[in-house]
Amino acid sequence: MQIIYTDVLVIGGGLAGQRAAISVKRRGHEAIILSLVPAKRSHSAAAQGGMQASLGNCAGAAGDDEDCHFADTVRGSDWGADQQVVRMFAHTAPKAIRELATWGVPWNRVQRGEHAITVDGRGATVVEADASHGLITARNFGGTAKWRACYVSDGTGHAMLYTMSNQAIAANIPVHERMEALALIHDGERCCGAIVRNLINGELFAYVAKATCIATGGFGRIYRVSTNAIINEGMGAAIALETGIACLGNMEAIQFHPTAIVPAGILVTEACRGDGGLLLDGANHRFMPDYEPEKKELASRDVVSRRMEEHIAAGHGAQGRYGPHLWLDIRPLGREHIERRLREVNEICRYFLGIDPQRDLIPVRPAQHYSMGGVRTDHRGQSPQLKGLFAAGEAACWDLHGFNRLGGNSVAETVVAGMIVGDSMADFCDSADGALQVSTSLAEAFAARERERLAAIVQRRGGESVFELTRQMQDTMTDRVGIFRHAEALEAAVSTLQALHRRAQNITLRSSAPGANPELVAAYRLPRMLKLALCVAFGALQRTESRGAHYRADFPQRNDRDWMRRTIASWPEPDAELPTLTYEALDILTWELPPGWRGYGARDYIDHPDTPRRQQEIAALLATMGAADRHQRQAALMPFLHLLPEHLRGRNERLGDD
Amino acid sequence: MERIPARAASRTLRIQILRHNPLDPASTPALQSFELQEADAMTLFIALNEIRQTQDASLQFDFVCRAGICGSCGMIVNGRPVLACRTLTRDLPDDIVLAPLPAFELIGDLSVNTGKWMRGMSERLETWVHAQNLEQADIDALEQTMEPALADQIYELERCIECGCCVAACGTAQMHEEFVGAVGLNQIARFRLDPRDERSDADYYELVGDDSGVFGCMTLLGCQDTCPKDLPLAAQIAFLRRRMAIAGF
């Protein structure tokens, strides 16, 4: 078996992985990226509407800054996020977007003068200042106080990913395409690379590295109806879990996006609503203002999705061939806007629905969209349990999003996390901890184990079909671990998933084709997907409260008193039937923004006793600060700059700064 | 996988697939025929997965986004290169013939290695912004301004998804392995338009000023006819040829 040595092994070729590799390379270390597919085909390309960064350039963004971005993100998370990480993120996002601007992303720019916009289904006018002309513009998105989503038409992720990939090519970073990591190599304390399978010819390799980064995105394909690309099966998180040492955080926190087209589940961007599109019911009634008078269609995704399903359950859906759905109406935006700023939406409607969104309503219903949970890391991206293992982007849970992510914060997170975690891995490589003392026999032992597992799958004769079991897992997740959850359905889901996990040991392959063999690939991935599904379902069953996207119909209140804690899942015994769940307390007394009402959604929650105490502390502290500026006030409440790499600590310049 | 209920009295599709597994010494390229009940709103993504799941588990093909944006699933459908994921069977006759994209290394059946080809093209044409001191750029400061219309124009060319349909449809690319294709020439046009890229026409001439570049194009325009993103490839190639002719003169 060939052993390939590198300083840093990045598993996943999307925005987070490539940006991390670029940081590593800039610091003088070698990086290799593994990718299931050509890097430019990664799921990052599917981000349509925008990237959140508080540049504050356009009229709708006036007055925006890191403080607003921070507060929106924490409220969006339903106070589940790590507030220091949110601060690091909000501070770095403007730098990330400006770096991408120098690298070539054709961000849409502010055009001076009057513009027609659409508000509440009617025309309105906005005037852009001369001074802003040519700077990066932004559009409105859900759950935000300002227009903050910077965009490239509705191909934002595509443009970002191409620019990032081209920079990685310029930096001469190898991307080993069509390669899948099957297992992390570790000695119980230290991760030192991965056993990797070539998806063209089936050959196994060992990649030995000082630092290994999981950047494999989310795991939406454990659900039947998901906006995710079909490669989003969560294998990075799963192989971390299978170490028995590294942990996953908040796996039950699953986001459902309000506007996936029916029936294909393909996403149409939140920018449709941000730019003025409306949600209508079966009677063509605009129903969101009835539920959410403040934010209407632009409440956070968890709230809008819940309201939509609630409205459908009350019998107000439109009846379609594939069951009830609602309508997205972007007709008021007009031809020019749709053809220039919502081009992908226009194409998706034409090709997949055979409709013209300039004239027709778009059938939509919420679908699984994002995994807030993932490999649990500290604020620099390292696993607290397994040294040398890092994670970034959707695959990670450093905990930027808590229980609900805001639209446009995911692509922003990928790049910001890549910048920070890449630097963190370079620090690790430079440190004494980074030195590798791995023996080749350890790599050989892991490779032998994987080889035996694969051989065992090929030889089994239990008669089960991998495709049938996969379908049952996906049905179970969509039907029972969806938007509305309750104990009975979750218990049934857990036992069904356990049964499927046992049956997966009896899969018989029908094909023995030489090469990678797509059926064998499905067969070795399924048990790992089932483990992730069990983390989600069991975590959801245990969390007896409602927070963000995790909604328990039998426990409808957010319960800060008992649930101010993060779920930590591990799988210490390979043969165990369930993950081990433990909980990590969140300390309100260290927070800048104590829990409260989000400004949308339910006002009903159970307070934590520390909340009033922290509120008083903050009020008293601020009262002593007199004429201090916002930076000084922030630093007094919750310092974070010291957590960032030095070169990312500078203040972000904005138009109109003194 | 989205499950879609079958429509009453649906058609039976006869799907012939050009199959070959280069890793199997016993394999020779041949058409294999599958029959499939058409379902409502069925795409080739759904059809091929159904064939793999119910008829032949060894069938190889590539899909990633299944939404027409990632460029993974280019294949020849009844003689034309298209994105399979957004091709609806209802737009096709009862008899459907699928073949892998030509001009790319075959992985197996309908799967070809476009990624390797595209990375090679990118390395050769240096498809990135060339600027001094990019690593030292001050990312705390206000960004450089750009005319909004220019940003739109760059995005127009940036929409390429490197699916390979233009290469598969190109007469030159079939005869001339080194030809960079419309995909490559479009990239040069894109960076040439971008003021952030400091390269001159003389630099671009070094990259595409020969018959593996812009002078290899025979103006058959298969690229523009098949581009799934409707990129203005013919105009870009014609314009680039004129600029390169001047630069090389």
Side-chain angles (χ1 to χ4, degrees), chain B residues 7 20 43 58-59 64 67 72 86 110 121 125 160 162 168 170 172 185 199-200 206 210 216 218 232 235 238:
Chain B
R7 185 170 44 183
H20 177 49
T43 60
S58 70
L59 185 62
V64 177
S72 298
R86 69 176 200 190
L110 300 170
M121 178 274 292
L125 299 184
C160 169
E162 298 189 356
C170 173
T172 303
L185 297 173
R199 284 178 288 185
S200 66
E206 291 299 313
D210 60 9
M218 301 185 292

mmCIF file of all heavy atoms in Angstrom, chain B residues 7 20 43 58-59 64 67 72 86 110 121 125 160 162 168 170 172 185 199-200 206 210 216 218 232 235 238:
data_model
loop_
_atom_site.group_PDB
_atom_site.id
_atom_site.type_symbol
_atom_site.label_atom_id
_atom_site.label_comp_id
_atom_site.label_asym_id
_atom_site.label_seq_id
_atom_site.Cartn_x
_atom_site.Cartn_y
_atom_site.Cartn_z
ATOM 1 N N ARG B 7 -47.503 8.023 -13.104
ATOM 2 C CA ARG B 7 -48.752 8.507 -13.694
ATOM 3 C C ARG B 7 -49.456 7.310 -14.320
ATOM 4 O O ARG B 7 -48.820 6.378 -14.795
ATOM 5 C CB ARG B 7 -48.395 9.541 -14.762
ATOM 6 C CG ARG B 7 -49.567 10.224 -15.385
ATOM 7 C CD ARG B 7 -49.080 11.378 -16.240
ATOM 8 N NE ARG B 7 -47.924 11.025 -17.069
ATOM 9 C CZ ARG B 7 -47.316 11.916 -17.845
ATOM 10 N NH1 ARG B 7 -47.706 13.165 -17.865
ATOM 11 N NH2 ARG B 7 -46.285 11.548 -18.585
ATOM 12 N N HIS B 20 -19.161 0.441 -20.734
ATOM 13 C CA HIS B 20 -17.811 -0.129 -20.785
ATOM 14 C C HIS B 20 -17.138 0.130 -19.448
ATOM 15 O O HIS B 20 -17.222 1.233 -18.917
ATOM 16 C CB HIS B 20 -16.990 0.509 -21.913
ATOM 17 C CG HIS B 20 -15.576 0.004 -21.969
ATOM 18 N ND1 HIS B 20 -15.261 -1.337 -21.937
ATOM 19 C CD2 HIS B 20 -14.383 0.663 -22.055
ATOM 20 C CE1 HIS B 20 -13.939 -1.474 -21.999
ATOM 21 N NE2 HIS B 20 -13.388 -0.284 -22.069
ATOM 22 N N THR B 43 -36.681 12.929 -14.464
ATOM 23 C CA THR B 43 -35.471 13.417 -15.130
ATOM 24 C C THR B 43 -34.563 12.232 -15.404
ATOM 25 O O THR B 43 -34.780 11.134 -14.867
ATOM 26 C CB THR B 43 -34.710 14.399 -14.228
ATOM 27 O OG1 THR B 43 -34.348 13.696 -13.029
ATOM 28 C CG2 THR B 43 -35.564 15.613 -13.856
ATOM 29 N N SER B 58 -24.298 -2.095 -11.166
ATOM 30 C CA SER B 58 -22.926 -1.730 -11.532
ATOM 31 C C SER B 58 -22.868 -0.486 -12.423
ATOM 32 O O SER B 58 -21.793 -0.009 -12.762
ATOM 33 C CB SER B 58 -22.244 -2.897 -12.249
ATOM 34 O OG SER B 58 -22.829 -3.075 -13.526
ATOM 35 N N LEU B 59 -24.020 0.037 -12.801
ATOM 36 C CA LEU B 59 -24.056 1.153 -13.754
ATOM 37 C C LEU B 59 -23.370 2.392 -13.177
ATOM 38 O O LEU B 59 -23.679 2.839 -12.074
ATOM 39 C CB LEU B 59 -25.520 1.469 -14.100
ATOM 40 C CG LEU B 59 -25.740 2.528 -15.180
ATOM 41 C CD1 LEU B 59 -25.155 2.085 -16.508
ATOM 42 C CD2 LEU B 59 -27.223 2.836 -15.309
ATOM 43 N N VAL B 64 -24.083 15.260 -8.989
ATOM 44 C CA VAL B 64 -23.753 15.852 -7.696
ATOM 45 C C VAL B 64 -24.916 16.727 -7.227
ATOM 46 O O VAL B 64 -25.659 16.369 -6.325
ATOM 47 C CB VAL B 64 -22.423 16.634 -7.727
ATOM 48 C CG1 VAL B 64 -22.158 17.284 -6.367
ATOM 49 C CG2 VAL B 64 -21.264 15.690 -8.059
ATOM 50 N N ALA B 67 -29.281 19.710 -9.819
ATOM 51 C CA ALA B 67 -30.073 20.925 -9.987
ATOM 52 C C ALA B 67 -29.562 21.786 -11.141
ATOM 53 O O ALA B 67 -29.961 22.936 -11.275
ATOM 54 C CB ALA B 67 -30.063 21.729 -8.690
ATOM 55 N N SER B 72 -21.636 18.224 -13.346
ATOM 56 C CA SER B 72 -21.092 16.858 -13.243
ATOM 57 C C SER B 72 -21.648 15.890 -14.272
ATOM 58 O O SER B 72 -21.011 14.899 -14.582
ATOM 59 C CB SER B 72 -21.421 16.266 -11.871
ATOM 60 O OG SER B 72 -20.839 17.019 -10.863
ATOM 61 N N ARG B 86 -31.096 17.802 -15.561
ATOM 62 C CA ARG B 86 -32.241 18.677 -15.815
ATOM 63 C C ARG B 86 -32.932 18.341 -17.131
ATOM 64 O O ARG B 86 -33.739 19.125 -17.634
ATOM 65 C CB ARG B 86 -31.817 20.141 -15.758
ATOM 66 C CG ARG B 86 -30.919 20.556 -16.892
ATOM 67 C CD ARG B 86 -30.633 22.046 -16.824
ATOM 68 N NE ARG B 86 -30.193 22.504 -18.125
ATOM 69 C CZ ARG B 86 -29.679 23.712 -18.345
ATOM 70 N NH1 ARG B 86 -29.546 24.572 -17.363
ATOM 71 N NH2 ARG B 86 -29.325 24.065 -19.556
ATOM 72 N N LEU B 110 -21.166 5.957 -18.174
ATOM 73 C CA LEU B 110 -21.455 7.360 -18.496
ATOM 74 C C LEU B 110 -20.562 8.327 -17.726
ATOM 75 O O LEU B 110 -20.721 9.542 -17.826
ATOM 76 C CB LEU B 110 -22.933 7.655 -18.199
ATOM 77 C CG LEU B 110 -23.911 6.794 -19.000
ATOM 78 C CD1 LEU B 110 -25.335 6.964 -18.478
ATOM 79 C CD2 LEU B 110 -23.848 7.135 -20.489
ATOM 80 N N MET B 121 -6.532 22.216 -17.927
ATOM 81 C CA MET B 121 -6.793 23.442 -18.691
ATOM 82 C C MET B 121 -6.521 24.677 -17.817
ATOM 83 O O MET B 121 -5.881 25.635 -18.260
ATOM 84 C CB MET B 121 -8.246 23.406 -19.183
ATOM 85 C CG MET B 121 -8.723 24.621 -19.952
ATOM 86 S SD MET B 121 -9.338 25.939 -18.869
ATOM 87 C CE MET B 121 -10.823 25.148 -18.210
ATOM 88 N N LEU B 125 -3.756 27.462 -18.727
ATOM 89 C CA LEU B 125 -4.171 28.825 -19.093
ATOM 90 C C LEU B 125 -4.073 29.796 -17.914
ATOM 91 O O LEU B 125 -4.382 30.965 -18.053
ATOM 92 C CB LEU B 125 -5.610 28.815 -19.631
ATOM 93 C CG LEU B 125 -5.851 27.989 -20.892
ATOM 94 C CD1 LEU B 125 -7.295 28.150 -21.358
ATOM 95 C CD2 LEU B 125 -4.895 28.393 -22.007
ATOM 96 N N CYS B 160 -19.860 29.861 -16.454
ATOM 97 C CA CYS B 160 -19.446 28.549 -16.968
ATOM 98 C C CYS B 160 -19.318 27.556 -15.816
ATOM 99 O O CYS B 160 -18.757 27.871 -14.774
ATOM 100 C CB CYS B 160 -18.102 28.683 -17.682
ATOM 101 S SG CYS B 160 -17.345 27.104 -18.079
ATOM 102 N N GLU B 162 -18.035 24.359 -16.351
ATOM 103 C CA GLU B 162 -17.019 23.366 -16.734
ATOM 104 C C GLU B 162 -17.608 21.959 -16.883
ATOM 105 O O GLU B 162 -17.025 20.975 -16.442
ATOM 106 C CB GLU B 162 -15.843 23.381 -15.734
ATOM 107 C CG GLU B 162 -15.122 24.717 -15.715
ATOM 108 C CD GLU B 162 -13.824 24.727 -14.919
ATOM 109 O OE1 GLU B 162 -13.484 23.706 -14.287
ATOM 110 O OE2 GLU B 162 -13.133 25.782 -14.939
ATOM 111 N N ALA B 168 -17.222 18.384 -25.859
ATOM 112 C CA ALA B 168 -17.797 17.209 -26.517
ATOM 113 C C ALA B 168 -18.418 17.577 -27.861
ATOM 114 O O ALA B 168 -18.453 16.757 -28.778
ATOM 115 C CB ALA B 168 -18.851 16.575 -25.608
ATOM 116 N N CYS B 170 -17.322 19.906 -29.906
ATOM 117 C CA CYS B 170 -16.363 20.685 -30.691
ATOM 118 C C CYS B 170 -15.620 19.803 -31.686
ATOM 119 O O CYS B 170 -14.992 18.809 -31.299
ATOM 120 C CB CYS B 170 -15.372 21.345 -29.737
ATOM 121 S SG CYS B 170 -14.017 22.182 -30.559
ATOM 122 N N THR B 172 -12.920 20.607 -33.430
ATOM 123 C CA THR B 172 -11.473 20.707 -33.216
ATOM 124 C C THR B 172 -11.030 19.811 -32.065
ATOM 125 O O THR B 172 -10.037 19.081 -32.167
ATOM 126 C CB THR B 172 -11.066 22.167 -32.923
ATOM 127 O OG1 THR B 172 -11.504 22.990 -34.004
ATOM 128 C CG2 THR B 172 -9.561 22.299 -32.762
ATOM 129 N N LEU B 185 -11.157 29.109 -23.725
ATOM 130 C CA LEU B 185 -11.118 30.438 -24.349
ATOM 131 C C LEU B 185 -12.038 31.408 -23.609
ATOM 132 O O LEU B 185 -11.720 32.586 -23.438
ATOM 133 C CB LEU B 185 -11.502 30.333 -25.826
ATOM 134 C CG LEU B 185 -10.520 29.477 -26.651
ATOM 135 C CD1 LEU B 185 -11.048 29.258 -28.061
ATOM 136 C CD2 LEU B 185 -9.121 30.117 -26.683
ATOM 137 N N ARG B 199 -2.575 40.971 -16.449
ATOM 138 C CA ARG B 199 -1.955 40.446 -17.663
ATOM 139 C C ARG B 199 -2.332 41.286 -18.890
ATOM 140 O O ARG B 199 -3.419 41.865 -18.945
ATOM 141 C CB ARG B 199 -2.379 38.988 -17.887
ATOM 142 C CG ARG B 199 -1.664 38.024 -16.976
ATOM 143 C CD ARG B 199 -2.115 36.597 -17.179
ATOM 144 N NE ARG B 199 -3.462 36.356 -16.669
ATOM 145 C CZ ARG B 199 -4.044 35.157 -16.645
ATOM 146 N NH1 ARG B 199 -3.401 34.099 -17.152
ATOM 147 N NH2 ARG B 199 -5.248 34.999 -16.146
ATOM 148 N N SER B 200 -1.443 41.309 -19.854
ATOM 149 C CA SER B 200 -1.681 42.068 -21.082
ATOM 150 C C SER B 200 -2.064 41.097 -22.203
ATOM 151 O O SER B 200 -1.949 39.876 -22.055
ATOM 152 C CB SER B 200 -0.414 42.800 -21.486
ATOM 153 O OG SER B 200 0.571 41.827 -21.844
ATOM 154 N N GLU B 206 0.592 34.454 -25.432
ATOM 155 C CA GLU B 206 1.467 33.327 -25.097
ATOM 156 C C GLU B 206 0.653 32.085 -24.719
ATOM 157 O O GLU B 206 1.088 30.964 -24.922
ATOM 158 C CB GLU B 206 2.385 33.693 -23.914
ATOM 159 C CG GLU B 206 3.443 34.730 -24.236
ATOM 160 C CD GLU B 206 4.377 34.244 -25.337
ATOM 161 O OE1 GLU B 206 4.833 33.083 -25.243
ATOM 162 O OE2 GLU B 206 4.634 35.010 -26.289
ATOM 163 N N ASP B 210 -2.172 30.258 -30.530
ATOM 164 C CA ASP B 210 -1.768 29.262 -31.524
ATOM 165 C C ASP B 210 -2.946 28.343 -31.827
ATOM 166 O O ASP B 210 -4.066 28.616 -31.398
ATOM 167 C CB ASP B 210 -0.562 28.455 -31.014
ATOM 168 C CG ASP B 210 -0.879 27.711 -29.730
ATOM 169 O OD1 ASP B 210 -2.076 27.688 -29.330
ATOM 170 O OD2 ASP B 210 0.039 27.169 -29.097
ATOM 171 N N GLY B 216 -7.243 27.580 -33.259
ATOM 172 C CA GLY B 216 -7.669 26.223 -33.599
ATOM 173 C C GLY B 216 -9.156 26.136 -33.877
ATOM 174 O O GLY B 216 -9.633 25.168 -34.478
ATOM 175 N N MET B 218 -12.612 26.236 -35.498
ATOM 176 C CA MET B 218 -13.060 26.200 -36.898
ATOM 177 C C MET B 218 -14.416 26.884 -37.075
ATOM 178 O O MET B 218 -15.032 26.768 -38.116
ATOM 179 C CB MET B 218 -13.161 24.748 -37.376
ATOM 180 C CG MET B 218 -11.849 23.989 -37.295
ATOM 181 S SD MET B 218 -11.953 22.323 -38.003
ATOM 182 C CE MET B 218 -13.043 21.489 -36.855
ATOM 183 N N PRO B 232 -22.239 33.308 -24.286
ATOM 184 C CA PRO B 232 -22.024 33.847 -25.649
ATOM 185 C C PRO B 232 -20.657 33.440 -26.183
ATOM 186 O O PRO B 232 -19.791 34.284 -26.424
ATOM 187 C CB PRO B 232 -22.121 35.362 -25.419
ATOM 188 C CG PRO B 232 -21.653 35.556 -24.005
ATOM 189 C CD PRO B 232 -22.059 34.327 -23.240
ATOM 190 N N ALA B 235 -19.249 34.735 -29.816
ATOM 191 C CA ALA B 235 -18.824 36.139 -29.811
ATOM 192 C C ALA B 235 -17.521 36.303 -29.048
ATOM 193 O O ALA B 235 -16.623 37.043 -29.464
ATOM 194 C CB ALA B 235 -19.919 37.008 -29.181
ATOM 195 N N ALA B 238 -14.659 34.932 -31.210
ATOM 196 C CA ALA B 238 -14.384 35.817 -32.349
ATOM 197 C C ALA B 238 -13.635 37.066 -31.880
ATOM 198 O O ALA B 238 -12.639 37.488 -32.476
ATOM 199 C CB ALA B 238 -15.699 36.204 -33.035
#
